[in-house]
Amino acid sequence: MATIIPTFRYDDARAAITFLTTAFGFEEHAVYEHEGAVAHAELKLGDAYIMLGEHRDAGSDLAYGGSTTYVVIDDPDAHHARAVAAGAEIVRELTDQDYGSREYAAKDPGGNVWSFGTYLPS
């Protein structure tokens, strides 16, 4: 068995959590703070998880910003409307793709691009 959990770093992890829950519908699963910063957090969307934490300049070899993640969802129109209402920066408008997916993409506060759509590899 293998489980893949994308992990992200943000300058302000608490603000990122607020954005991800408000704009994209994630739910807080666990948040651990250390010295006033989010050291580790787990957010849930359906049965899937992501992990995130505060970006640390010194002593960290973990990736920071610039990733792209695709999330399979049932209702991209409603999801897109939620993201727009929350002020998300839409970088690819909601559209029907020639491969059968309906999808859009938005940036989060850390510069990561999130694509949401109906395409599910089989």
Side-chain angles (χ1 to χ4, degrees):
M1 180 180 104
T3 300
I4 298 171
I5 302 174
T7 303
F8 304 91
R9 293 280 177 228
Y10 296 94
D11 287 330
D12 184 342
R14 178 51 64 194
I17 290 168
T18 299
F19 176 84
L20 294 167
T21 56
T22 302
F24 297 159
F26 282 90
E27 298 175 5
E28 284 188 32
H29 179 73
V31 178
Y32 304 98
E33 296 190 19
H34 178 70
E35 296 179 1
V38 175
H40 174 81
E42 300 165 4
L43 303 183
K44 186 175 181 182
L45 184 64
D47 293 332
Y49 289 87
I50 64 169
M51 295 186 295
L52 63 95
E54 203 90 8
H55 173 66
R56 291 169 247 148
D57 290 324
S60 178
D61 59 353
L62 297 176
Y64 174 60
S67 69
T68 302
T69 302
Y70 188 87
V71 181
V72 180
I73 56 174
D74 292 328
D75 188 350
D77 292 271
H79 198 275
H80 177 265
R82 177 186 184 138
V84 169
E89 178 187 351
I90 305 300
V91 296
R92 188 176 69 235
E93 287 300 326
L94 184 63
T95 187
D96 293 320
Q97 302 295 334
D98 58 1
Y99 47 86
S101 183
R102 183 158 176 77
E103 56 195 37
Y104 79 97
K107 269 190 185 175
D108 74 15
N112 301 293
V113 174
W114 293 80
S115 294
F116 297 93
T118 58
Y119 177 75
L120 178 63
S122 58

